[in-house]
Structure formats: structure tokens, C-alpha cells
Amino acid sequence: MSATEQRVAIVTGGSRGIGRETAERLAADGMAVVVVYAGNQAEADAAVENITARGGRAIAAQADVADERAVAAVFDQAEAVFGGVDVVVHAAGRMVLAPLAELDLDDLDRMHRTNIRGTFVVDQQAARRVRDGGAIINFSTSVLALALPGYAAYAASKGAVEAITLILARELRGRDITVNAVAPGPTATALFLDGKDEQTVAKMAAQPPLERLGTPADIAELVSFLAGPARWINGQVVRANGGIA
């Protein structure tokens, strides 16, 4: 495949966890990848090195996903280096857990800035610049269906992500661009495991009928499907949670 024919993916939150696994999976699928990171350049560079060591093409780009100028610059860079953008995976997110009555409102504002405004900003650039035949994939959470205490603010932000996703899919009528959201269940990432004791983790791992936590590779497999062959799945929220709900 020539460079001009190669599909190009932008992956936000690509320096670690699900985002990094997704970036490496899409590169393995044959895409050139822009690994977008907020602050951890070392991890983003490591992801790029892993991809290039396997013969793939990748670059790292820094951006606050809620900053429209920074996000536009990432798309500019993708177009300048790789020739365009075909797939956008918006995996960057922030999670702060506390009962509604106790949550610090500054934490609420920061979380919603990243999760809601960030999704809107990234999707806005994607809607303007993804080439026809492309895919936009956002991240929600299976917590929306589970209604777990402590997750009110986080789940509210992801409810907004689902609304944005479903409406954008319909606004892009005629472009042959799919827009979907992936809603992971409990997945063994640093974001999920942070602050949880072993008993809590074991209890959550036992909930799905498959009786384990998900892995970043489980989620990246679904993203790969939605980014590539799944052209008839559009305007959907796909719950990847081992059957938990």
C-alpha cells in the first residue's frame, strides 16, 4: 500500500491504557497513527516507538482536547505528515469519583471540560475534516446502565458523549462517515484501578458472566472493528463489558 492510500487515524488519550492499545492496534491494522497526549510525552513517544519498531508509521502530538486551537493543530499535523484523516478515536477522558453530595465542584468542572467539551471539540474537527468513508469513535461507559453510586458526575459527562455521538451520526448524512461510541465496562487500566482496593476490584471482576475484568486489548478489538470493516454500524453505543449489563 502506498503512503497516499494508507488510512490515517488520530487517537486522543493515546499515551496509555485503552488509547495506547488502540493506537497500536490500528497501526497493526495498517493505519498511520497520530498519538495525541495531554502531558505524558515519554509514554506517547514510547507508543510511537513501539509502532515504528513493528514497521508502522506514527507521530506524537500534544493537545488539551478541550482547546479548539490545539486540536485543530493536531488535525493540521496529521494532514501535513500523512495526507489526511480517516479515523478519529477520542479516548481521552477524566474520571473523579465521589457521592454527588460530596463532589468538589471544581472537579466537576474539570471533568466535564475534558469529557464533554473535549468530545465536542474533537468531534467538531472530525466532522469538518475526516475524509468520506471514515469513522469517528467516541468513548462512553457502561456505568450509565449500571447507575453505580459515586459515578454521578462521570456518568453525566458520558451521557453527553452519547448524545453528541448519536446526533453527529445523523448530521453527517451523505458523507459515508460512521459515528459510534464504545462503552467499556470495568477494564484493567490505571484510570480504573486508581484508588480501588483489591476487594473492590475482585467484586467488579466477578460481575460479568465472563467473570473477569476487560483488558485494553478487548476494547481496542472493538474499536478496530468500528474503524474498519463495520460500515453498517452507525449512530450506536456499543457496550463492551462481558455481559455485565
Side-chain angles (χ1 to χ4, degrees):
M1 177 182 288
S2 71
T4 56
E5 295 172 326
Q6 187 175 29
R7 298 182 83 213
V8 179
I10 292 174
V11 181
T12 71
S15 65
R16 65 176 190 159
I18 291 170
R20 179 164 175 172
E21 189 77 26
T22 295
E24 294 183 3
R25 173 60 187 266
L26 294 182
D29 291 343
M31 299 187 196
V33 180
V34 180
V35 177
V36 182
Y37 65 97
N40 198 331
Q41 183 175 355
E43 288 297 327
D45 288 343
V48 169
E49 289 171 10
N50 284 346
I51 290 169
T52 56
R54 296 182 174 97
R57 301 172 74 210
I59 58 171
Q62 193 277 334
D64 169 2
V65 294
D67 181 340
E68 64 272 26
R69 293 179 181 84
V71 171
V74 169
F75 279 76
D76 290 343
Q77 192 171 0
E79 291 172 351
V81 175
F82 296 129
V85 179
D86 301 284
V87 174
V88 174
V89 180
H90 180 45
R94 184 188 295 266
M95 181 169 65
V96 179
L97 303 181
L100 186 148
E102 300 171 15
L103 183 72
D104 187 295
L105 292 181
D106 286 339
D107 285 334
L108 175 73
D109 290 343
R110 282 190 288 268
M111 185 160 47
H112 284 196
R113 183 178 187 276
T114 297
N115 295 357
I116 300 176
R117 181 185 169 93
T119 299
F120 201 97
V121 167
V122 171
D123 281 11
Q124 187 173 69
Q125 287 297 318
R128 294 170 179 171
R129 300 168 75 164
V130 165
R131 293 184 285 207
D132 291 1
I136 301 168
I137 301 159
N138 293 321
F139 268 77
S140 181
T141 173
S142 287
V143 166
L144 273 176
L146 299 175
L148 297 178
Y151 283 81
Y154 179 70
S157 73
K158 293 302 188 175
V161 171
E162 293 194 6
I164 291 168
T165 300
L166 272 56
I167 292 169
L168 181 58
R170 286 148 182 84
E171 290 180 346
L172 295 183
R173 173 181 293 274
R175 294 271 304 279
D176 188 28
I177 296 172
T178 62
V179 188
N180 295 290
V182 174
T187 305
T189 65
L191 181 69
F192 170 77
L193 296 172
D194 183 40
K196 295 182 176 70
D197 58 31
E198 289 185 17
Q199 183 178 3
T200 299
V201 172
K203 181 179 178 181
M204 297 187 80
Q207 287 181 314
L210 297 179
E211 295 187 330
R212 66 172 176 86
L213 294 176
T215 68
D218 291 324
I219 310 306
E221 182 175 41
L222 174 57
V223 175
S224 171
F225 180 59
L226 294 173
R231 300 308 302 166
W232 197 233
I233 300 175
N234 188 31
Q236 304 298 317
V237 178
V238 184
R239 314 239 174 250
N241 56 31
I244 197 170

